[in-house]
Each structure stands twice: as structure tokens, then as C-alpha cells.
């Protein structure tokens, strides 16, 4: 068995879930995401527009940093191509839909994260106040139980 830590403090540099600019240790790491799956920009744009139309009426907005938002959306689409479901690109997925159902975007933790911090764990979904700078942008701690990060 492999222990897959989702805590930034527990990870070695570079041991981050691919496609998650919000979880990279340094700004330098935000510039390049290595992947075997390329996502056409028009597909990412359509995905963005669809989710925006569905989520904004519910009070969930995309992070105004479009570079970050685009990279996370690409990560979701890549995970859908890999696993058949859109697991959060800021967490390590097992490839087992049942085991990962709590991290299928929007994840089971989004509502509580946005309510408490103004942002979800990966900073994709945020509140209007967060986007407008009315509340601090603090790191959202991982709510996923440690036993769920165990990949078998």
C-alpha cells in the first residue's frame, strides 16, 4: 500500500497532484504542468461556461485568476479522461470511483470550505466576497480524512 498525503507539509517538493496550481509549493512550479493528455482550449472554455452557468446561481463562483482556473479545469478534464470521472486535480485519486466519490468535483467538502474560508480546497470555487478581496485568502486545510488518502 502507498500512503498518499494531501498535506502540503507532508509532501516532498514536486509530490503534488497534477493540474493543481493552488497546491504547488512555489510560484515557479505554477508555470508548467506535465501531462500525457492535452486539452484543447475551446473544450476548456466550453466546460468553463457550462459550469459557470450551473454554479453561479448556487453562490459558487470561479476564482477570478483565470490562469489558475483554466489549469484546474484542464486537470478535471484530464482526470475525466484518465478515470472516467472528474476527481479533484488537487488531490491524489485512486482510480476507483467509489473510493474517490468524495473528491469528484464539486467535492463533498466544497460547501463547508467556501462557507468557512470563502474558497474550496483547490481555489477553483470561491465566494463573491473572496473574489472581491473582502475576505482573506488563506490556505484551506484538507478536510478529507487521512484514511481516504490511502491508495491500494
Amino acid at each position: 500500500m502507498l500512503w498518499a498525503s494531501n498535506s502540503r507539509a507532508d509532501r516532498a517538493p514536486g509530490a503534488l497532484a497534477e493540474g493543481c496550481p493552488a497546491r504547488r509549493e512555489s510560484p515557479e512550479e505554477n508555470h508548467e504542468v506535465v501531462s500525457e493528455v492535452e486539452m484543447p482550449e475551446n473544450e476548456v472554455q466550453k466546460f468553463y461556461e457550462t459550469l459557470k452557468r450551473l454554479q453561479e446561481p448556487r453562490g459558487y463562483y470561479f476564482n477570478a485568476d483565470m490562469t489558475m482556473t483554466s489549469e484546474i479545469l484542464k486537470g478535471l478534464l484530464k482526470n475525466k479522461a484518465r478515470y472516467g470521472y472528474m476527481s479533484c486535480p488537487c488531490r491524489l485519486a485512486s482510480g476507483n470511483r467509489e473510493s474517490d466519490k468524495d473528491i469528484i468535483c464539486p467535492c463533498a467538502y466544497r460547501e463547508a470550505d467556501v462557507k468557512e474560508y470563502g474558497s474550496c480546497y483547490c481555489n477553483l470555487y470561491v465566494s463573491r466576497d473572496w473574489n472581491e478581496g473582502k475576505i482573506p485568502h488563506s490556505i484551506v486545510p484538507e478536510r478529507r480524512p487521512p484514511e481516504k488518502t490511502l491508495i491500494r
Side-chain angles (χ1 to χ4, degrees), residues 86-88 91-93 100-105 107 109 144:
M86 293 187 303
S87 65
C88 175
R91 294 178 168 106
L92 298 174
D100 292 339
K101 68 182 177 184
D102 62 321
I103 60 168
I104 295 174
C105 189
C107 74
Y109 314 105
R144 193 174 200 213

Side-chain angles (χ1 to χ4, degrees), residues 6 60 88 91 99-104 106-117 119-121 140-146 148-149:
N6 283 324
Y60 299 104
C88 175
R91 294 178 168 106
S99 297
D100 292 339
K101 68 182 177 184
D102 62 321
I103 60 168
I104 295 174
C107 74
Y109 314 105
R110 177 185 71 168
E111 185 176 349
D113 287 348
V114 173
K115 184 176 183 179
E116 186 173 348
Y117 297 98
S119 168
C120 69
Y121 178 72
V140 178
E142 176 62 279
R143 291 181 191 267
R144 193 174 200 213
K148 293 281 249 166
T149 62

Side-chain angles (χ1 to χ4, degrees), residues 60-100:
Y60 299 104
Y61 300 86
F62 282 126
N63 186 328
D65 179 343
M66 288 307 296
T67 301
M68 179 179 287
T69 296
S70 178
E71 287 301 314
I72 295 171
L73 291 174
K74 286 177 188 175
L76 286 170
L77 290 170
K78 289 174 187 177
N79 283 346
K80 184 176 183 182
R82 279 187 194 119
Y83 307 122
Y85 55 93
M86 293 187 303
S87 65
C88 175
C90 297
R91 294 178 168 106
L92 298 174
S94 69
N96 178 302
R97 185 182 186 95
E98 184 60 28
S99 297
D100 292 339

Side-chain angles (χ1 to χ4, degrees), residues 3 26 54 94-96 101 121 135 138 141:
W3 177 257
S26 69
L54 293 170
S94 69
N96 178 302
K101 68 182 177 184
Y121 178 72
I135 58 175
S138 40

Side-chain angles (χ1 to χ4, degrees), residues 117-136:
Y117 297 98
S119 168
C120 69
Y121 178 72
C122 63
N123 298 142
L124 176 63
Y125 289 110
V126 300
S127 68
R128 181 177 287 165
D129 286 345
W130 192 94
N131 257 347
E132 294 174 355
K134 294 179 181 176
I135 58 175

